[in-house]
Amino acid sequence: MNEMTSIAAQPAYSDAVKKALAREPALFIDGEWVASTHDKRIAVYDPSTGKQIASVVDASDADVDKAVAAARRAFDDGRWTGLPPYQRQRLIEKLADLLEAATAEMAEIESIDNGKPRAASQGYDIPRSVQTLRYAAGWATRMSGEQVDPAGMPTGTVHAYIRREPVGVAAQIVPWNFPLMMAVQKIAPALAAGCTLVLKPAEQTPLSALRFADLVAEAGLPAGVVNIVTGLGETAGDRLVRHPDVDKVAFTGSTEVGKIINRAATDTLKRVTLELGGKSPVIVLPDVDVARTARGAAMSIFMNSGQVCIAGSRLFAHRDIFDSLIEAVAANAAGWKVGPSLAPDTMMGPLVSDEQHARVLGYIEAGRKEGASVVCGGDTPGGDGWFVNPTILVDVKPEMKVVREEIFGPVLAAQRYDDLDDVAKAANDTTYGLAATIWTRDVSAMHQLAAKLKAGMVWGNAPALADVALPFGGYKQSGFGRESGRYGVEAYTELKTVAIAL
Ligand code: NAD
């Protein structure tokens, strides 16, 4: 135990969660729990204590092949696509009901696996996953093709229509920052579209996906429609991506791995959607309510300890309000109580892993060396877990690492600007293009700036206005394809043109 720590002890786990942690490591394939073909395991840690709490299977090639074969059979024999859409809708809704009923246990699992405050997993991650399932369920009965009249053929001589068909077997690979939410954001639309799937959670946070598999079985989805395989990215993940019986890969994670996956999927020309990293700007015009904007800017970067792809990690504040805004964001940061995930007053948990902890502190150090000044944070509050204090850096320059690279931690890099055209250019000066937030009461400036920003999502006067009905995804190296909304379901479909001479 670190002597200087201001960090409280992690409260005891509930009996239900202790039972879940003690389970024999297994994979969920073809509707049942099966043992791996080998005895390789992955250790799972509680980031609040740094202690191992469970181990899961590190899937072998044979395990992955078995899961893909189950998904392939379940797709090809029509046990899922062949169901009346309304029945598929009801089964997805049943899954939502079961997840909702299990909210408390799921939230605890998520918090001890990822480190996020229980209030966040219970108030956001799990309810949002339930909402995603219910929203996607409705699309099962609403997706359909269209009839089109050909342009170059005499009217009435050719009957042409476009069918929208499920793409087939999906391999879904998700990261550790919102483990269940990211998994459900992929599972729900795939099911609504009529696909079958193999999901691989991140090695750091596999526990909620495994518990979710119990609910899949309980909901009565046909065997093999949802398969969940734990394992390392370079082995199990890679096997999935290259597998000839997989038709589509949906990936959320780092840009670096997204590129590897895109290359690996090329040999078989799989459909690929990628939700990758970001370095999202938050632009503040001089007319704002400083206190409210500061709360929003703090939320943009400190939520989930900054381990958010859409984190507002680059703040651009107009020169006239820069100092007062930074002062207000720093005051707000002081209220983000850092602590273990299950403590009721914790607002910011630890980072997910030892490695991520070292990485984030390394970035702060690099920023200092390059000349940035630390307004607050920049250090760890101690404790055995992987904690970092909320950090604000000023005196940063566009070429610094802390401005250019995704830190994925609670580190804000703040810059001044004078002119709206210049700030749009500065905000776009990045290889990423995921999200952007604009704060102003000037409606014209808001829309003009929104049009200039090269980002998949632009939000105004509030942080992170992501919604299950609104497309989510990025420009440039933040990926391609969209999740959520109609587009998210369509991403699991192929178009087939049928034209018949009458
Ligand atoms: P990561 O890319 O290291 O890992 C993500 C997943 O990919 C894990 O399941 C991992 O096992 C798997 N993987 C790793 N190498 C692989 C390979 N060669 N083949 C197949 N699978 C492989 O990312 P991470 O560190 O877990 O997550 C953090 C990153 O995710 C950040 O960069 C963040 O911005 C990004 N992210 C993006 C979004 C989004 O929607 N755009 C959402 C959340 C996180």
Side-chain angles (χ1 to χ4, degrees):
M1 170 68 81
N2 185 324
E3 295 301 323
M4 300 299 289
T5 186
S6 57
I7 295 293
Q10 173 78 309
Y13 304 162
S14 68
D15 289 344
V17 166
K18 280 188 202 151
K19 214 170 116 197
L21 295 178
R23 279 161 63 151
E24 196 55 41
L27 304 164
F28 187 72
I29 297 176
D30 215 5
E32 34 184 60
W33 290 103
V34 299
S36 171
T37 60
H38 67 193
D39 57 8
K40 285 196 185 155
R41 298 286 179 264
I42 299 170
V44 182
Y45 296 88
D46 180 341
S48 299
T49 63
K51 294 205 170 62
Q52 185 179 344
I53 52 173
S55 50
V56 298
V57 170
D58 176 9
S60 65
D61 285 355
D63 295 332
V64 171
D65 293 352
K66 193 172 177 181
V68 173
R72 188 77 257 169
R73 271 194 309 277
F75 185 77
D76 289 345
D77 71 12
R79 73 184 84 163
W80 185 239
T81 36
L83 286 181
Y86 183 65
Q87 217 167 318
R88 279 195 280 120
Q89 173 177 340
R90 294 295 293 148
L91 283 165
I92 303 168
E93 285 168 352
K94 179 81 197 290
L95 196 48
D97 293 345
L98 292 172
L99 179 58
E100 189 170 46
T103 298
E105 186 192 338
M106 275 296 196
E108 186 178 336
I109 288 175
E110 202 74 317
S111 286
I112 64 172
D113 199 1
N114 165 278
K116 66 180 67 205
R118 190 192 327 233
S121 42
Q122 185 138 349
Y124 181 67
D125 292 56
I126 311 302
R128 176 61 178 257
S129 304
V130 171
Q131 198 182 51
T132 297
L133 284 162
R134 292 207 172 114
Y135 172 82
W139 281 113
T141 50
R142 286 155 186 80
M143 289 306 282
S144 56
E146 62 180 311
Q147 191 267 320
V148 174
D149 291 330
M153 305 171 197
T155 304
T157 61
V158 171
H159 176 52
Y161 58 97
I162 301 160
R163 286 172 52 82
R164 205 171 256 292
E165 300 181 346
V167 67
V169 174
Q172 305 183 320
I173 299 177
V174 294
W176 44 258
N177 58 346
F178 292 87
L180 188 69
M181 233 178 83
M182 291 291 135
V184 168
Q185 206 159 298
K186 293 199 170 8
I187 293 173
L191 292 179
C195 292
T196 62
L197 60 99
V198 181
L199 175 106
K200 193 198 82 61
E203 40 272 56
Q204 298 86 347
T205 55
L207 300 178
S208 54
L210 290 172
R211 186 70 185 90
F212 185 73
D214 290 332
L215 307 184
V216 169
E218 201 182 331
L221 267 80
V225 171
V226 173
N227 305 277
I228 296 186
V229 170
T230 51
L232 298 178
E234 315 82 77
T235 50
D238 185 65
R239 183 89 180 170
L240 272 175
V241 171
R242 293 178 188 276
H243 205 294
D245 280 335
V246 167
D247 301 297
K248 176 196 161 97
V249 178
F251 171 74
T252 296
S254 60
T255 293
E256 190 192 346
V257 173
K259 289 178 185 176
I260 295 172
I261 286 181
N262 201 31
R263 277 194 287 268
T266 297
D267 285 343
T268 42
L269 285 181
K270 292 183 173 64
R271 280 56 187 139
V272 177
T273 45
L274 302 172
E275 302 284 357
L276 310 175
K279 191 76 185 173
S280 298
V282 174
I283 302 173
V284 183
L285 276 65
D287 64 351
V288 297
D289 170 340
V290 168
R292 180 170 159 237
T293 307
R295 272 199 305 282
M299 176 71 92
S300 282
I301 184 64
F302 301 140
M303 188 186 75
N304 215 39
S305 305
Q307 302 169 120
V308 186
C309 54
I310 53 174
S313 49
R314 290 182 298 147
L315 178 69
F316 295 93
H318 192 271
R319 184 171 297 280
D320 292 351
I321 47 135
F322 184 87
D323 291 337
S324 58
L325 184 72
I326 293 302
E327 200 179 306
V329 180
N332 195 279
W336 281 72
K337 169 110 176 115
V338 180
S341 57
L342 300 185
D345 59 348
T346 292
M347 281 183 69
M348 189 190 285
L351 300 180
V352 74
S353 62
D354 205 1
E355 186 191 5
Q356 187 69 6
H357 187 242
R359 191 168 164 263
V360 171
L361 290 173
Y363 268 112
I364 297 171
E365 199 39 45
R368 276 199 180 104
K369 282 207 180 109
E370 286 184 302
S373 311
V374 178
V375 175
C376 66
D379 56 356
T380 159
D384 293 332
W386 299 310
F387 300 97
V388 173
N389 283 317
T391 300
I392 302 174
L393 304 176
V394 293
D395 302 326
V396 298
K397 304 223 165 49
E399 63 280 7
M400 288 182 180
K401 263 166 76 107
V402 288
V403 174
R404 305 217 71 80
E405 296 179 21
E406 183 179 47
I407 299 177
F408 229 54
V411 183
L412 180 65
Q415 304 174 64
R416 287 180 179 79
Y417 76 89
D418 294 295
D419 174 272
L420 271 191
D421 280 333
D422 290 346
V423 77
K425 280 194 202 106
N428 288 333
D429 180 20
T430 165
T431 53
Y432 294 111
L434 194 53
T437 311
I438 305 164
W439 292 83
T440 180
R441 292 186 245 212
D442 179 341
V443 117
S444 299
M446 176 72 85
H447 290 295
Q448 283 166 0
L449 208 42
K452 281 184 186 153
L453 293 172
K454 294 196 175 78
M457 295 162 286
V458 177
W459 300 309
N461 293 331
L465 291 173
D467 183 272
V468 295
L470 299 176
F472 186 101
Y475 280 24
K476 302 196 273 184
Q477 295 194 28
S478 290
F480 44 73
R482 293 292 180 269
E483 292 192 324
S484 298
R486 169 198 279 272
Y487 304 94
V489 185
E490 287 179 349
Y492 285 92
T493 64
E494 288 274 22
L495 294 179
K496 178 185 282 172
T497 301
V498 182
I500 301 163
L502 300 175

